[in-house]
Amino acid sequence: MIILDGKKVSNEIKDEIAAEVQKMKDRGEKVPHLAAVLVGDDGASLTYVGSKVRSCERVGFESTMVRMSNTTSELELLKKIHELNENDDIDGFIIQLPLPEQINTQKVLMAVNPDKDVDGFHPENFGKMALDMSTFIPATPFGILELLERYDVETKGKHTVVIGRSHIVGRPMSILMGRRGFPGNSTVTLTHSHTKNITQITCQADIIITALGQPNFLKAEMVKDDAVIIDVGITRVPDENAKRGYVITGDVDFENVSKKASHITPVPGGVGPMTIAMLLKNTLLARERHIMANRK
């Protein structure tokens, strides 16, 4: 059994990006600049954004964190997004989700300039991804593809089962695994909360990608021998014996499923670190595109 070590691979990617940024500096070019908009004071969101800012520092990017209060109106946020769209110094930016209930998330994501949408959430970028065109791939699916590629996990002709149909992970993952090329060329089944007899389906899978957010959902009896398991789930489960009062748990019963799997991602340390690394990669891509556009 091989652990798909997202922490290790993400560090390799960050080193590669840092080397590219150094070349930009040596040529006298502006380095990539990533901005993150955080509305409210959600603890998990603050942690995520802080981690993204530190990662920017590590690779030599400029970064800006835009903090807005929990009472921010939709109009105020849309105005801020317009400012970021118009700011030529910023190559890409993200809106940290979830947003407060007074704000329409879809409306906000639609307002982001697709050329700066390094999260890959805008319909224009999602549509290009679905059509196999060059675009920003959502960071988590992008990270999973990179893990599969760097560990040389065979996907051609394999049966991939995706559990969860979110716009951020499940649905794009189902499209990407069925595309031509590597990783891809697999036969994909997309399952969700209304899927009947899900165990019958997962037992046929060569590759299972689960993004459900239900701790320990995928049990050993739901997996065939030598399956590849990608666990996107990350949930804080209360635990009185743990130092912080909780443990981080994925969708997969790791202890038992890992005994049957050929490859598996741990939680934490699997898909999570890859998401931030690929967000940086998308920002580097955005900067390179802006350089090319300015040369025309």
Side-chain angles (χ1 to χ4, degrees), residues 63-121:
S63 66
T64 299
M65 190 197 289
V66 180
R67 295 286 304 270
M68 303 183 80
S69 78
N70 211 39
T71 57
T72 298
S73 71
E74 189 178 282
L75 194 63
E76 287 170 322
L77 179 54
L78 290 171
K79 186 180 176 187
K80 178 57 67 177
I81 289 170
H82 178 71
E83 287 174 16
L84 295 169
N85 284 338
E86 296 297 311
N87 186 343
D88 290 338
D89 189 51
I90 290 172
D91 297 293
F93 66 95
I94 61 163
I95 312 296
Q96 184 65 42
L97 304 178
L99 292 169
E101 59 184 19
Q102 73 271 18
I103 296 172
N104 182 325
T105 299
Q106 195 62 49
K107 194 172 179 182
V108 164
L109 296 179
M110 286 282 286
V112 177
N113 181 344
D115 289 338
K116 295 189 176 189
D117 169 41
V118 288
D119 258 336
F121 293 165

Side-chain angles (χ1 to χ4, degrees), residues 57-195:
E57 289 171 4
R58 175 179 164 178
V59 299
F61 284 8
E62 289 180 24
S63 66
T64 299
M65 190 197 289
V66 180
R67 295 286 304 270
M68 303 183 80
S69 78
N70 211 39
T71 57
T72 298
S73 71
E74 189 178 282
L75 194 63
E76 287 170 322
L77 179 54
L78 290 171
K79 186 180 176 187
K80 178 57 67 177
I81 289 170
H82 178 71
E83 287 174 16
L84 295 169
N85 284 338
E86 296 297 311
N87 186 343
D88 290 338
D89 189 51
I90 290 172
D91 297 293
F93 66 95
I94 61 163
I95 312 296
Q96 184 65 42
L97 304 178
L99 292 169
E101 59 184 19
Q102 73 271 18
I103 296 172
N104 182 325
T105 299
Q106 195 62 49
K107 194 172 179 182
V108 164
L109 296 179
M110 286 282 286
V112 177
N113 181 344
D115 289 338
K116 295 189 176 189
D117 169 41
V118 288
D119 258 336
F121 293 165
H122 192 284
E124 183 176 315
N125 288 326
F126 195 99
K128 285 181 175 179
M129 177 202 71
L131 294 169
D132 270 348
M133 297 168 70
S134 175
T135 190
F136 299 120
I137 297 173
T140 299
F142 197 6
I144 293 168
L145 293 179
E146 196 76 15
L147 266 182
L148 292 171
E149 185 173 341
R150 294 199 182 216
Y151 277 92
D152 203 25
V153 175
E154 184 58 71
T155 59
K156 185 179 179 182
K158 302 294 183 182
H159 182 195
T160 297
V161 171
V162 179
I163 306 174
R165 54 179 167 181
S166 74
H167 295 166
I168 294 171
V169 182
R171 199 169 298 181
M173 210 64 242
S174 69
I175 294 167
L176 292 162
M177 290 302 288
R179 68 180 182 170
R180 290 187 179 91
F182 173 68
N185 278 323
S186 67
T187 302
V188 183
T189 302
L190 179 61
T191 66
H192 45 77
S193 57
H194 293 279
T195 301

Side-chain angles (χ1 to χ4, degrees), residues 1-7 143-144 147-148 151 153 208-210 227-233 250-255 257-258 261-274:
M1 189 271 296
I2 295 170
I3 295 283
L4 299 173
D5 189 342
K7 199 168 183 182
I144 293 168
L147 266 182
L148 292 171
Y151 277 92
V153 175
I208 299 174
I209 301 167
T210 173
V228 176
I229 310 294
I230 307 289
D231 190 353
V232 185
D251 287 353
V252 177
D253 175 5
F254 184 88
E255 186 179 344
V257 172
S258 61
S262 65
H263 300 73
I264 191 167
T265 58
V267 175
V271 174
M274 294 298 297

Side-chain angles (χ1 to χ4, degrees), residues 9-45:
V9 174
S10 69
N11 282 326
E12 291 170 1
I13 292 167
K14 287 175 185 175
D15 288 343
E16 292 164 10
I17 293 171
E20 288 300 314
V21 172
Q22 188 56 52
K23 288 178 188 174
M24 286 179 162
K25 287 179 178 175
D26 292 345
R27 293 193 295 264
E29 295 173 0
K30 185 183 99 60
V31 300
H33 187 164
L34 174 68
V37 180
L38 178 62
V39 184
D41 46 17
D42 178 77
S45 292

